[in-house]
Amino acid sequence: MKKFVNEVENILTESLTGFGKAHSDIIDVRLSPDFVFRKNKSQNDKVALISGGGSGHEPLHGGFVGYGMLDAACPGQVFSAPTPDQMEAAANEVHKNKGILFIVKNYSGDIMNFEMGADMIEHENQTIIVNDDVAVEDSTFTTGRRGVAGTMIVEKTVGSLAETGASLEDCKIFGDHVNKMTASMGVAFTSCTVPAAGKPTFELSNDEMEFGVGIHGEPGRRREKIKSANQLTDEILETILEDLKPDNNQEVLLHVNGFGGTPLMELYLLFECGQKLLEKKNIKVSRSLVGNYTTSLEMAGGSFTVTKLDADIAKHWDSAVHTPALRWKM
Amino acid sequence: MKKFVNEVENILTESLTGFGKAHSDIIDVRLSPDFVFRKNKSQNDKVALISGGGSGHEPLHGGFVGYGMLDAACPGQVFSAPTPDQMEAAANEVHKNKGILFIVKNYSGDIMNFEMGADMIEHENQTIIVNDDVAVEDSTFTTGRRGVAGTMIVEKTVGSLAETGASLEDCKIFGDHVNKMTASMGVAFTSCTVPAAGKPTFELSNDEMEFGVGIHGEPGRRREKIKSANQLTDEILETILEDLKPDNNQEVLLHVNGFGGTPLMELYLLFECGQKLLEKKNIKVSRSLVGNYTTSLEMAGGSFTVTKLDADIAKHWDSAVHTPALRWKM
């Protein structure tokens, strides 16, 4: 296994410790139970936003803890749900007496453990389930649609709303709304290797791709020969637009997300393909984000995410953010 | 070849076009000859900083164009030097009558073409040659040491100095100084595939690594069995410290750079290994940067860069920067 690692069982602890030291101006890391939380806590009473999920998708979620986004993140082992005691400890650390909002990707294990975590805390709480992946209904670890790269868009926009002092109920409603306005789909060229397994999760031959792959390597719609970037863009965006049914002249945020093993050069090329295609359909890309934000370890491939923008979503996307992985206007 | 691509010969053009659209708030892209330049030009008279080199190392250099860093970047084809007409066109676009400072990584092709570019312009100009890679003297494309991930540290700090209105000579002297205070070394677990070649640049067996690899896959010191992250850190940092000869209690910037195909989780683990080792040697890591900044397409592996900090370097590292790939305090 070709990885920077000492003992496989210590990967998460060592990585989190390094993460904490590298970003000690913004976040702090607590171990056993593990969670990442804001160091300079907000002065305002605000709803506390907590996300989490299996590790291996970095910078999601720990990289999005900070002003304008999350208050805490609970990382599980690689591709494994965090345990309820992590959510309990994080909630007790960051709550501000305005309630806790959990943001959870739609995987059965995550949902179960976040529910148990919610039961263990005394603070009022609500949960947003993100299920933006339009590739398949039901999957290896999911009932319904999977939560993928759209999750960070929910975290950014709801994080911004929470910063204004909005109520728990308003944050919950807005997050559900952003989730509904968001759709994603991706393609994998290679598998990744989960450290504890020591071998690739799945095999693809030299000219094959997994079309509609999940961020843990779950099967997509079909396995087929690799196509050109334009053809892939066309098929993925058609599926996304069928779901979102945008109006003519709809403004959108277009997010091209790399899964970890694809060069930035290709991701910008993919963005160009997507932007051109949407323009042809009279859809206006007025916001953009290109890069590795919701990864699958070193998997090669990437995904498109489209969010239909209204004035509120645009405002909360544009607002100031200061986290390890996303920073603007500060 | 598993890449997001339409026609191989158009990769750079399509990628640059997408890059320009995705970051149209900060930069603009000119094609034929290709260069990236600041959109909102500085109001101040300042030395114009221009870098460039082969593509495939993104976000270096185009991702570092913007306030506090570069004025322009000239991307060559993948792993190929830009042509002199690119430097000429960029210089004519961004010069502010205070002279041009070229920042060039030490590869024979880059140096030759930047020299020819400099000859073609009328503006006063100087060149900083970055050669921070302590792995080997002379290499496939280099006489002397190679320029690698330390280049962005030179670009950040000299970019900050230039923003204050410093003279061309002062910027040149400071850049040479930062280069001398900086040393890097890396290791590759896999090769990358240059699109035009269509196959991996070199072969490594399943348990092998290239120790001291260059950012184009040039040979390092030796090929050997993969070691633990702690052992790799130890050997790399020993080599770097032999070169830098830091004093007791020296403050440093520690940069862990991913080559493109290694997950962020491993890079933070590597940072933890490096930070611990330096602490044991009474070297204080007071600044840090972890991520994919100087890549080799999808190569798995990464590098350490250490810069010895004095008050000036620390100040110009900490100052505001606003580019596609690096943003803080703005």
mmCIF file of all heavy atoms in Angstrom, chain A residues 1-3 193 198-200 203, chain B residues 188-191 202-210 223-227 300:
data_model
loop_
_atom_site.group_PDB
_atom_site.id
_atom_site.type_symbol
_atom_site.label_atom_id
_atom_site.label_comp_id
_atom_site.label_asym_id
_atom_site.label_seq_id
_atom_site.Cartn_x
_atom_site.Cartn_y
_atom_site.Cartn_z
ATOM 1 N N MET A 1 0.846 -1.196 0.000
ATOM 2 C CA MET A 1 0.000 0.000 0.000
ATOM 3 C C MET A 1 0.880 1.243 0.000
ATOM 4 O O MET A 1 1.748 1.393 0.845
ATOM 5 C CB MET A 1 -0.889 -0.010 1.253
ATOM 6 C CG MET A 1 -1.891 1.100 1.276
ATOM 7 S SD MET A 1 -3.033 0.955 2.688
ATOM 8 C CE MET A 1 -1.916 0.962 4.106
ATOM 9 N N LYS A 2 0.654 2.110 -0.994
ATOM 10 C CA LYS A 2 1.530 3.267 -1.163
ATOM 11 C C LYS A 2 0.925 4.496 -0.512
ATOM 12 O O LYS A 2 0.253 5.298 -1.164
ATOM 13 C CB LYS A 2 1.768 3.487 -2.649
ATOM 14 C CG LYS A 2 2.555 2.338 -3.288
ATOM 15 C CD LYS A 2 2.999 2.671 -4.685
ATOM 16 C CE LYS A 2 4.269 1.911 -5.026
ATOM 17 N NZ LYS A 2 4.835 2.311 -6.298
ATOM 18 N N LYS A 3 1.178 4.644 0.761
ATOM 19 C CA LYS A 3 0.620 5.767 1.495
ATOM 20 C C LYS A 3 1.637 6.289 2.497
ATOM 21 O O LYS A 3 2.507 5.553 2.941
ATOM 22 C CB LYS A 3 -0.646 5.322 2.243
ATOM 23 C CG LYS A 3 -1.825 5.016 1.312
ATOM 24 C CD LYS A 3 -3.081 4.695 2.089
ATOM 25 C CE LYS A 3 -4.235 4.340 1.173
ATOM 26 N NZ LYS A 3 -4.828 5.455 0.440
ATOM 27 N N THR A 193 -7.922 3.202 -2.233
ATOM 28 C CA THR A 193 -7.562 2.118 -1.324
ATOM 29 C C THR A 193 -7.799 2.572 0.110
ATOM 30 O O THR A 193 -7.143 3.496 0.586
ATOM 31 C CB THR A 193 -6.075 1.743 -1.513
ATOM 32 O OG1 THR A 193 -5.908 1.200 -2.829
ATOM 33 C CG2 THR A 193 -5.623 0.712 -0.493
ATOM 34 N N GLY A 198 -6.195 -2.126 2.609
ATOM 35 C CA GLY A 198 -4.888 -2.338 1.993
ATOM 36 C C GLY A 198 -4.926 -2.685 0.519
ATOM 37 O O GLY A 198 -3.880 -2.912 -0.090
ATOM 38 N N LYS A 199 -6.117 -2.724 -0.053
ATOM 39 C CA LYS A 199 -6.228 -2.980 -1.495
ATOM 40 C C LYS A 199 -7.396 -2.175 -2.070
ATOM 41 O O LYS A 199 -8.294 -1.766 -1.326
ATOM 42 C CB LYS A 199 -6.373 -4.470 -1.782
ATOM 43 C CG LYS A 199 -7.579 -5.125 -1.152
ATOM 44 C CD LYS A 199 -7.613 -6.601 -1.550
ATOM 45 C CE LYS A 199 -8.740 -7.392 -0.923
ATOM 46 N NZ LYS A 199 -10.045 -6.839 -0.808
ATOM 47 N N PRO A 200 -7.375 -1.940 -3.392
ATOM 48 C CA PRO A 200 -8.426 -1.108 -3.986
ATOM 49 C C PRO A 200 -9.825 -1.648 -3.680
ATOM 50 O O PRO A 200 -10.032 -2.867 -3.639
ATOM 51 C CB PRO A 200 -8.129 -1.184 -5.491
ATOM 52 C CG PRO A 200 -6.667 -1.493 -5.576
ATOM 53 C CD PRO A 200 -6.380 -2.371 -4.392
ATOM 54 N N GLU A 203 -12.228 -2.842 -8.865
ATOM 55 C CA GLU A 203 -11.287 -2.881 -9.986
ATOM 56 C C GLU A 203 -11.962 -2.322 -11.226
ATOM 57 O O GLU A 203 -13.132 -2.593 -11.488
ATOM 58 C CB GLU A 203 -10.842 -4.331 -10.262
ATOM 59 C CG GLU A 203 -10.031 -4.975 -9.147
ATOM 60 C CD GLU A 203 -8.632 -4.373 -8.962
ATOM 61 O OE1 GLU A 203 -8.166 -3.663 -9.873
ATOM 62 O OE2 GLU A 203 -8.040 -4.601 -7.889
ATOM 63 N N ALA B 188 8.193 10.133 -4.453
ATOM 64 C CA ALA B 188 7.064 9.721 -5.295
ATOM 65 C C ALA B 188 6.730 8.262 -5.054
ATOM 66 O O ALA B 188 7.620 7.411 -4.986
ATOM 67 C CB ALA B 188 7.395 9.927 -6.770
ATOM 68 N N PHE B 189 5.425 7.984 -4.938
ATOM 69 C CA PHE B 189 4.944 6.605 -4.817
ATOM 70 C C PHE B 189 4.478 6.061 -6.170
ATOM 71 O O PHE B 189 4.433 4.856 -6.383
ATOM 72 C CB PHE B 189 3.776 6.537 -3.830
ATOM 73 C CG PHE B 189 4.155 6.821 -2.405
ATOM 74 C CD1 PHE B 189 3.208 7.296 -1.509
ATOM 75 C CD2 PHE B 189 5.450 6.588 -1.940
ATOM 76 C CE1 PHE B 189 3.543 7.544 -0.181
ATOM 77 C CE2 PHE B 189 5.793 6.833 -0.611
ATOM 78 C CZ PHE B 189 4.832 7.316 0.262
ATOM 79 N N THR B 190 4.066 6.973 -7.050
ATOM 80 C CA THR B 190 3.657 6.570 -8.401
ATOM 81 C C THR B 190 4.170 7.609 -9.385
ATOM 82 O O THR B 190 4.560 8.709 -9.007
ATOM 83 C CB THR B 190 2.112 6.537 -8.571
ATOM 84 O OG1 THR B 190 1.612 7.880 -8.495
ATOM 85 C CG2 THR B 190 1.447 5.678 -7.511
ATOM 86 N N SER B 191 4.131 7.263 -10.651
ATOM 87 C CA SER B 191 4.423 8.214 -11.716
ATOM 88 C C SER B 191 3.157 8.998 -12.030
ATOM 89 O O SER B 191 2.090 8.754 -11.458
ATOM 90 C CB SER B 191 4.872 7.452 -12.961
ATOM 91 O OG SER B 191 5.064 8.352 -14.033
ATOM 92 N N PHE B 202 7.402 7.011 -15.751
ATOM 93 C CA PHE B 202 8.322 5.975 -15.282
ATOM 94 C C PHE B 202 7.515 4.891 -14.594
ATOM 95 O O PHE B 202 6.320 5.055 -14.351
ATOM 96 C CB PHE B 202 9.394 6.555 -14.354
ATOM 97 C CG PHE B 202 8.872 7.234 -13.115
ATOM 98 C CD1 PHE B 202 8.789 6.550 -11.904
ATOM 99 C CD2 PHE B 202 8.466 8.566 -13.135
ATOM 100 C CE1 PHE B 202 8.311 7.170 -10.752
ATOM 101 C CE2 PHE B 202 7.986 9.197 -11.982
ATOM 102 C CZ PHE B 202 7.912 8.489 -10.794
ATOM 103 N N GLU B 203 8.144 3.775 -14.314
ATOM 104 C CA GLU B 203 7.455 2.660 -13.663
ATOM 105 C C GLU B 203 8.052 2.430 -12.288
ATOM 106 O O GLU B 203 9.273 2.496 -12.107
ATOM 107 C CB GLU B 203 7.607 1.375 -14.500
ATOM 108 C CG GLU B 203 6.925 1.420 -15.861
ATOM 109 C CD GLU B 203 5.396 1.434 -15.797
ATOM 110 O OE1 GLU B 203 4.834 1.134 -14.721
ATOM 111 O OE2 GLU B 203 4.767 1.786 -16.812
ATOM 112 N N LEU B 204 7.204 2.168 -11.337
ATOM 113 C CA LEU B 204 7.643 1.807 -9.991
ATOM 114 C C LEU B 204 6.869 0.549 -9.618
ATOM 115 O O LEU B 204 5.674 0.462 -9.903
ATOM 116 C CB LEU B 204 7.273 2.900 -8.994
ATOM 117 C CG LEU B 204 8.176 4.115 -8.830
ATOM 118 C CD1 LEU B 204 7.505 5.141 -7.929
ATOM 119 C CD2 LEU B 204 9.533 3.727 -8.279
ATOM 120 N N SER B 205 7.526 -0.415 -8.987
ATOM 121 C CA SER B 205 6.752 -1.595 -8.601
ATOM 122 C C SER B 205 5.925 -1.281 -7.352
ATOM 123 O O SER B 205 6.029 -0.202 -6.777
ATOM 124 C CB SER B 205 7.659 -2.804 -8.417
ATOM 125 O OG SER B 205 8.554 -2.561 -7.369
ATOM 126 N N ASN B 206 5.084 -2.225 -6.967
ATOM 127 C CA ASN B 206 4.048 -1.990 -5.961
ATOM 128 C C ASN B 206 4.547 -1.576 -4.588
ATOM 129 O O ASN B 206 3.781 -1.057 -3.786
ATOM 130 C CB ASN B 206 3.187 -3.247 -5.793
ATOM 131 C CG ASN B 206 2.134 -3.320 -6.875
ATOM 132 O OD1 ASN B 206 1.783 -2.288 -7.457
ATOM 133 N ND2 ASN B 206 1.651 -4.513 -7.159
ATOM 134 N N ASP B 207 5.799 -1.866 -4.288
ATOM 135 C CA ASP B 207 6.310 -1.533 -2.957
ATOM 136 C C ASP B 207 7.489 -0.559 -3.032
ATOM 137 O O ASP B 207 8.212 -0.381 -2.068
ATOM 138 C CB ASP B 207 6.736 -2.816 -2.228
ATOM 139 C CG ASP B 207 7.800 -3.591 -3.000
ATOM 140 O OD1 ASP B 207 8.089 -3.223 -4.166
ATOM 141 O OD2 ASP B 207 8.338 -4.564 -2.442
ATOM 142 N N GLU B 208 7.640 0.086 -4.188
ATOM 143 C CA GLU B 208 8.793 0.969 -4.387
ATOM 144 C C GLU B 208 8.412 2.445 -4.383
ATOM 145 O O GLU B 208 7.294 2.810 -4.725
ATOM 146 C CB GLU B 208 9.406 0.700 -5.771
ATOM 147 C CG GLU B 208 10.511 -0.328 -5.794
ATOM 148 C CD GLU B 208 11.086 -0.432 -7.204
ATOM 149 O OE1 GLU B 208 10.416 0.010 -8.189
ATOM 150 O OE2 GLU B 208 12.195 -0.946 -7.327
ATOM 151 N N MET B 209 9.404 3.274 -4.068
ATOM 152 C CA MET B 209 9.231 4.721 -4.177
ATOM 153 C C MET B 209 10.496 5.324 -4.793
ATOM 154 O O MET B 209 11.557 4.701 -4.809
ATOM 155 C CB MET B 209 8.998 5.342 -2.799
ATOM 156 C CG MET B 209 10.181 5.128 -1.867
ATOM 157 S SD MET B 209 9.979 5.954 -0.285
ATOM 158 C CE MET B 209 11.551 5.527 0.470
ATOM 159 N N GLU B 210 10.348 6.543 -5.316
ATOM 160 C CA GLU B 210 11.495 7.289 -5.835
ATOM 161 C C GLU B 210 11.815 8.352 -4.802
ATOM 162 O O GLU B 210 11.056 9.313 -4.618
ATOM 163 C CB GLU B 210 11.154 7.903 -7.201
ATOM 164 C CG GLU B 210 12.289 8.628 -7.878
ATOM 165 C CD GLU B 210 13.403 7.701 -8.376
ATOM 166 O OE1 GLU B 210 13.101 6.582 -8.853
ATOM 167 O OE2 GLU B 210 14.583 8.112 -8.266
ATOM 168 N N ARG B 223 16.049 4.594 -5.749
ATOM 169 C CA ARG B 223 14.747 3.930 -5.745
ATOM 170 C C ARG B 223 14.822 2.853 -4.682
ATOM 171 O O ARG B 223 15.780 2.085 -4.644
ATOM 172 C CB ARG B 223 14.498 3.329 -7.126
ATOM 173 C CG ARG B 223 13.166 2.704 -7.298
ATOM 174 C CD ARG B 223 12.873 2.477 -8.759
ATOM 175 N NE ARG B 223 12.683 3.742 -9.481
ATOM 176 C CZ ARG B 223 12.180 3.820 -10.709
ATOM 177 N NH1 ARG B 223 11.857 2.722 -11.368
ATOM 178 N NH2 ARG B 223 12.026 4.995 -11.293
ATOM 179 N N GLU B 224 13.821 2.798 -3.820
ATOM 180 C CA GLU B 224 13.905 1.802 -2.748
ATOM 181 C C GLU B 224 12.520 1.423 -2.254
ATOM 182 O O GLU B 224 11.519 1.945 -2.721
ATOM 183 C CB GLU B 224 14.756 2.334 -1.590
ATOM 184 C CG GLU B 224 14.238 3.622 -1.008
ATOM 185 C CD GLU B 224 15.133 4.181 0.109
ATOM 186 O OE1 GLU B 224 15.820 3.390 0.774
ATOM 187 O OE2 GLU B 224 15.110 5.401 0.323
ATOM 188 N N LYS B 225 12.474 0.492 -1.321
ATOM 189 C CA LYS B 225 11.202 0.058 -0.741
ATOM 190 C C LYS B 225 10.573 1.206 0.042
ATOM 191 O O LYS B 225 11.283 1.999 0.675
ATOM 192 C CB LYS B 225 11.420 -1.120 0.224
ATOM 193 C CG LYS B 225 12.050 -2.348 -0.415
ATOM 194 C CD LYS B 225 11.083 -3.096 -1.292
ATOM 195 C CE LYS B 225 11.745 -4.346 -1.877
ATOM 196 N NZ LYS B 225 11.160 -4.728 -3.176
ATOM 197 N N ILE B 226 9.262 1.272 0.024
ATOM 198 C CA ILE B 226 8.546 2.290 0.783
ATOM 199 C C ILE B 226 8.824 2.127 2.275
ATOM 200 O O ILE B 226 8.913 1.009 2.776
ATOM 201 C CB ILE B 226 7.032 2.175 0.490
ATOM 202 C CG1 ILE B 226 6.753 2.732 -0.898
ATOM 203 C CG2 ILE B 226 6.199 2.883 1.540
ATOM 204 C CD1 ILE B 226 5.308 2.729 -1.283
ATOM 205 N N LYS B 227 8.980 3.260 2.948
ATOM 206 C CA LYS B 227 9.203 3.244 4.393
ATOM 207 C C LYS B 227 8.025 3.897 5.102
ATOM 208 O O LYS B 227 7.131 4.459 4.463
ATOM 209 C CB LYS B 227 10.487 4.012 4.705
ATOM 210 C CG LYS B 227 11.720 3.355 4.115
ATOM 211 C CD LYS B 227 12.965 4.187 4.380
ATOM 212 C CE LYS B 227 14.189 3.441 3.850
ATOM 213 N NZ LYS B 227 15.376 4.305 3.865
ATOM 214 N N ALA B 300 1.356 10.356 -7.053
ATOM 215 C CA ALA B 300 1.187 10.170 -5.611
ATOM 216 C C ALA B 300 2.521 10.413 -4.930
ATOM 217 O O ALA B 300 3.565 9.966 -5.421
ATOM 218 C CB ALA B 300 0.672 8.768 -5.302
#
